[in-house]
Amino acid sequence: MLNAISLPRKARKEASTPPAAAASPPAILRWTKPTLLVVMLLIERHLADPESESWGFDVAKATGLQAATAYPILRRLERAGWLLSRDEETNERESGRATPPRTYFRINPPQLGEIRQELAEYEARQRSAGATLPGRSPRASATGAG
């Protein structure tokens, strides 16, 4: 067997990628603690205001994550179709100085059911393994309680 570390980056990825026939969700949707924090924050904001939008640094600050962690998660969720995004029209804010334009993200409303279903299935697997989702009590449900 080849040592994956000695392979070029592309070959390492191909060597570690399971066959396309696998029935599991795409790697874009892998559940990590940071991904859970981002998804739960965006669901909470969506439920409070379906038109609410968040940008990467705002999400990082609200979840306690580094921006370098939050932005890739937002992009993966966007590629999976779970989030919608739009770029800021102008990059001049209240301060009057030009800054890089923000990309705003929000839950893709037709995907909310799928997101909640995936989250509930993940939570059920974690419960059966004796773990809980971050920020939730063991009794909290992915469908809104907690």
Side-chain angles (χ1 to χ4, degrees):
M1 185 167 159
L2 293 173
N3 181 351
I5 295 174
S6 66
L7 295 172
R9 178 182 234 150
K10 184 177 180 184
R12 280 191 307 234
K13 182 178 179 190
E14 290 170 359
S16 66
T17 304
S24 63
I28 291 172
L29 304 177
R30 68 184 176 270
W31 290 108
T32 62
K33 183 178 178 180
T35 301
L36 290 167
L37 290 171
V38 169
V39 169
M40 290 190 303
L41 172 73
L42 294 175
I43 287 175
E44 180 181 308
R45 289 181 175 180
H46 177 80
L47 293 175
D49 175 11
E51 298 301 316
S52 69
E53 297 179 314
S54 303
W55 63 96
F57 186 73
D58 174 50
V59 169
K61 186 176 173 184
T63 59
L65 299 172
Q66 296 292 318
T69 300
Y71 282 100
I73 291 169
L74 291 165
R75 290 294 181 196
R76 279 196 306 273
L77 295 170
E78 179 187 28
R79 283 193 308 272
W82 286 11
L83 300 181
L84 300 174
S85 70
R86 73 170 179 86
D87 292 324
E88 188 173 47
E89 292 177 21
T90 178
N91 62 349
E92 198 168 309
R93 299 198 186 86
E94 305 82 42
S95 65
R97 58 189 179 109
T99 57
R102 292 177 178 160
T103 299
Y104 291 94
F105 298 90
R106 66 185 181 95
I107 294 286
N108 184 357
Q111 295 299 314
L112 184 59
E114 179 183 337
I115 296 168
R116 289 176 131 182
Q117 179 64 36
E118 289 285 335
L119 190 55
E121 289 173 9
Y122 175 81
E123 185 176 27
R125 287 191 304 271
Q126 292 299 92
R127 253 196 324 265
S128 70
T132 60
L133 293 177
R136 292 188 182 232
S137 67
R139 291 183 174 184
S141 144
T143 57

